[in-house]
Amino acid sequence: GYKATTGRSEWFGRVQGADRGDAMLRFVLLSRALRPLSRGYKATTGLVGLDADPQAHAKLVEELRGLLNDAKDKLPEGVAYRNDVEAMAMARLEVLERETDPEEAESKLGEVQLEELLEETVEERQLLAQMAEWKPWEVPEGHQVEIIEEGEWLRSQPKEEEQH
């Protein structure tokens, strides 16, 4: 066998005669076939059930813009959930608009796969629709909320020896 560090010219130098022509042809065809993998988008995300998507960058930008529009259209201003969603989406969009190279974008976004973020953003849009329907920021009329001062709940808990 040949060492992994054996260069192309060294390897071809060991092959003689007609076999050398065949070997060169196989090498050229194989290198052309593998070129898109070595210079293009990754072959896998490395995560079970999450395929690599060469269009993940563009799709993620589109989904994040949709998420921002959904938040603006469906959630009232000043709601903490809307503020958090908008801040997250704008921060990610800023990185994606600056970094068109998927690997660089993934690195700047915290070593996360664009495909993961795409899946997460789609799910966040679904959650946002549910939150808009549920309106958890609204307190029903007549509902009383007990206000507990900081640390008060600790004083109201029985001590460990009292529990036994």
Side-chain angles (χ1 to χ4, degrees):
Y2 298 102
K3 294 183 280 180
T5 58
T6 301
R8 176 176 64 192
S9 59
E10 183 180 336
W11 187 81
F12 287 131
R14 294 181 182 181
V15 180
Q16 301 294 319
D19 289 339
R20 183 176 183 170
D22 285 347
M24 289 182 82
L25 180 61
R26 280 195 301 269
F27 177 82
V28 169
L29 293 175
L30 183 59
S31 64
R32 284 185 185 163
L34 294 177
R35 187 176 300 146
L37 295 177
S38 63
R39 292 189 186 155
Y41 200 69
K42 60 191 170 198
T44 178
T45 63
L47 301 171
V48 175
L50 189 60
D51 294 333
D53 182 352
Q55 301 301 316
H57 189 282
K59 288 178 183 178
L60 181 54
V61 167
E62 183 179 324
E63 285 295 327
L64 286 167
R65 288 183 180 146
L67 181 61
L68 282 171
N69 288 333
D70 289 352
K72 181 181 169 200
D73 294 343
K74 297 177 181 179
L75 304 174
E77 285 187 39
V79 170
Y81 176 63
R82 175 180 169 170
N83 296 341
D84 291 344
V85 166
E86 288 176 333
M88 176 270 302
M90 287 189 289
R92 289 178 178 174
L93 267 174
E94 184 180 321
V95 170
L96 292 168
E97 288 169 351
R98 270 185 298 143
E99 296 295 341
T100 56
D101 176 54
E103 287 182 23
E104 282 298 313
E106 289 175 342
S107 176
K108 296 254 167 76
L109 288 166
E111 300 298 328
V112 66
Q113 306 275 332
L114 294 181
E115 292 82 356
E116 282 180 284
L117 292 179
L118 178 58
E119 192 172 83
E120 181 181 297
T121 304
V122 167
E123 291 171 357
E124 192 69 46
R125 287 185 78 181
Q126 293 167 354
L127 175 61
L128 188 141
Q130 289 294 308
M131 294 290 274
E133 183 181 318
W134 296 330
K135 299 179 176 139
W137 50 86
E138 292 181 0
V139 178
E141 192 174 319
H143 183 75
Q144 297 292 321
V145 177
E146 182 182 354
I147 306 293
I148 298 176
E149 298 296 324
E150 186 176 334
E152 186 177 320
W153 66 275
L154 290 174
R155 290 188 291 276
S156 67
Q157 298 294 315
K159 293 183 179 167
E160 273 192 47
E161 59 257 2
E162 293 174 8
Q163 291 178 353
H164 297 284

